Amino acid sequence: MTSAKYDVLAIGNALFDVLVRAEDDFLVKHGMAKGGMALIDEARAAAIYADMGQATEMSGGSAANTIVGLASLGARAAYVGKVKDDQIGRLYSHDIRAAGVAFDTKPASDGPATGCSYILITPDGERTMNTYLGAAQDLGPADIDPEQIAASALVYLEGYLWDPKNAKEAFLKASQIAHGAGRQVALTLSDPFCVDRYRDEFLELMRSGTVDLIFANESELHSLYQTSDFDSALNQLQNDVGLGVVTRSEKGCAVVAKDAVTLVPAARIEKLVDTTGAGDLFAAGFLFGLARNAGYENAGRLGALAAAEVIQHIGARPQVSLKELAQQHGLPV
């Protein structure tokens, strides 16, 4: 196996985030399921936006947030995602490249606008997402560069990719190329409602070896195995995939290998502001730890530290150098 050009390449829905603080009444008024992600059309996107208060707008997308976190830690990082050649799409492309991430996916010249996610943050810090995929849904197999995939030690995919058909095919193509080159493939389950939609397909991806590493939070794990018993679900995960990582908010995380389960505590925070990006940044830290062969416990601590940084401010991208933050906490970078 040749040495890798990139530590991690992430593939995801390229979305521009529109974040606003809102009361629970706003969610009820608009029929939103708190804490989840709903796919919406352009008309509903316009209606929600019109009713939102003053917003914070920035580049987002689950896997994109993860790859920006990896770059902040010092990883060699690349991203594949589809935007349109419009104002927001150009801003998105600039932002991810400015973060130190290689981003070469050709923008769409026609079709729907660059996708947006309208994110409501309630006083408890919980985020509720309403996603208009837009151009992101046009990501397809043709956007997968075999040489770039083969040159990446680990390919990271988001479960949300399973919503658009073309993206699903791109996902499978990338996995096949990665494994053909002796690389590893990771998948985040993204959202319990996403798991509800694709439970059997996700389980097949795991059991067939299409993915080697699974990231899930507690809700996603329970949804995957349709049980409220955490230990039972953990045992099933251990049987179904080579490596699983389950985040449990303030309870930390469980790293589930075939031969052992490693429990890692959460990092301390001053104040929970916005949970948007918590799972994305945890994955960034953990994947960085894997890329540096730091061991599961240190990988879990890096993940916890990155997640703790992002939940203490609005938005899903780090506001400080995660490399410097890790160094301050004595973690390997």
Side-chain angles (χ1 to χ4, degrees), residues 162-187:
W162 223 242
D163 282 313
K165 179 180 179 296
N166 290 341
K168 183 185 297 191
E169 291 170 4
F171 176 130
L172 293 172
K173 178 181 177 181
S175 174
Q176 187 176 16
I177 293 166
H179 283 142
R183 310 303 190 183
Q184 292 221 298
V185 178
L187 167 69

Side-chain angles (χ1 to χ4, degrees), residues 3-292:
S3 61
K5 179 179 180 181
Y6 300 109
D7 295 309
V8 182
L9 176 143
I11 307 174
N13 289 323
L15 302 169
F16 200 71
D17 286 347
V18 181
L19 305 103
V20 68
R21 295 184 183 276
E23 299 297 325
D24 288 85
D25 292 352
F26 186 96
L27 308 186
V28 174
K29 176 184 174 184
H30 287 274
M32 298 173 187
K34 185 173 180 176
M37 189 284 286
L39 292 173
I40 58 174
D41 59 19
E42 200 164 359
R44 180 155 167 76
I48 292 171
Y49 188 64
D51 210 17
M52 290 170 81
Q54 188 173 0
T56 300
E57 302 183 355
M58 62 182 67
S59 297
S62 174
N65 296 333
T66 297
I67 207 69
V68 167
L70 273 150
S72 182
L73 282 160
R76 298 166 301 158
Y79 181 67
V80 177
K82 200 77 166 177
V83 296
K84 188 179 182 181
D85 186 14
D86 55 17
Q87 185 178 356
I88 290 179
R90 288 187 287 273
L91 178 61
Y92 188 96
S93 301
H94 169 270
D95 283 355
I96 199 159
R97 289 172 183 144
V101 177
F103 179 50
D104 301 322
T105 312
K106 186 178 179 183
S109 56
D110 52 19
T114 297
C116 287
S117 188
Y118 301 89
I119 303 173
L120 290 306
I121 305 155
T122 38
D124 57 2
E126 185 63 85
R127 85 324 174 236
T128 301
M129 300 189 293
N130 303 269
T131 301
Y132 167 62
L133 285 172
Q137 65 196 323
D138 293 328
L139 179 74
D143 294 306
I144 301 300
D145 177 353
E147 288 185 12
Q148 192 181 42
I149 298 292
S152 305
L154 197 144
V155 174
Y156 176 78
L157 306 153
E158 63 179 64
Y160 291 134
L161 285 171
W162 223 242
D163 282 313
K165 179 180 179 296
N166 290 341
K168 183 185 297 191
E169 291 170 4
F171 176 130
L172 293 172
K173 178 181 177 181
S175 174
Q176 187 176 16
I177 293 166
H179 283 142
R183 310 303 190 183
Q184 292 221 298
V185 178
L187 167 69
T188 174
L189 295 184
S190 292
D191 183 277
F193 299 102
C194 189
V195 178
D196 286 343
R197 292 193 290 276
Y198 305 112
R199 179 178 296 107
D200 291 344
E201 292 174 72
F202 284 168
L203 286 168
E204 176 59 22
L205 290 173
M206 295 158 60
R207 292 166 179 166
S208 66
T210 304
V211 297
D212 308 293
L213 164 59
I214 285 287
F215 287 95
N217 64 27
E218 210 166 349
S219 299
E220 292 153 9
L221 183 72
H222 289 310
S223 174
L224 185 66
Y225 293 112
Q226 296 179 283
T227 175
S228 58
D229 186 285
F230 181 73
D231 291 333
S232 169
L234 216 59
N235 287 337
Q236 291 183 75
L237 182 67
Q238 195 166 23
N239 291 326
D240 282 343
V241 73
L243 184 65
V245 188
V246 183
T247 55
R248 307 184 73 189
S249 300
E250 69 278 1
K251 297 178 202 166
C253 75
V255 185
V256 186
K258 289 295 186 187
D259 56 350
V261 175
T262 304
L263 301 178
V264 182
R268 296 185 62 174
I269 62 169
E270 298 286 325
K271 184 185 179 186
L272 173 62
V273 175
D274 171 18
T275 59
T276 310
D280 303 336
L281 270 294
F282 176 88
F286 191 89
L287 291 171
F288 183 79
L290 281 190
R292 292 293 182 268

Side-chain angles (χ1 to χ4, degrees), residues 308-324:
E309 190 281 332
V310 85
I311 64 176
Q312 294 185 85
H313 58 73
I314 294 282
R317 301 270 172 100
Q319 292 185 350
V320 300
S321 163
L322 294 182
K323 182 174 184 175
E324 291 177 10

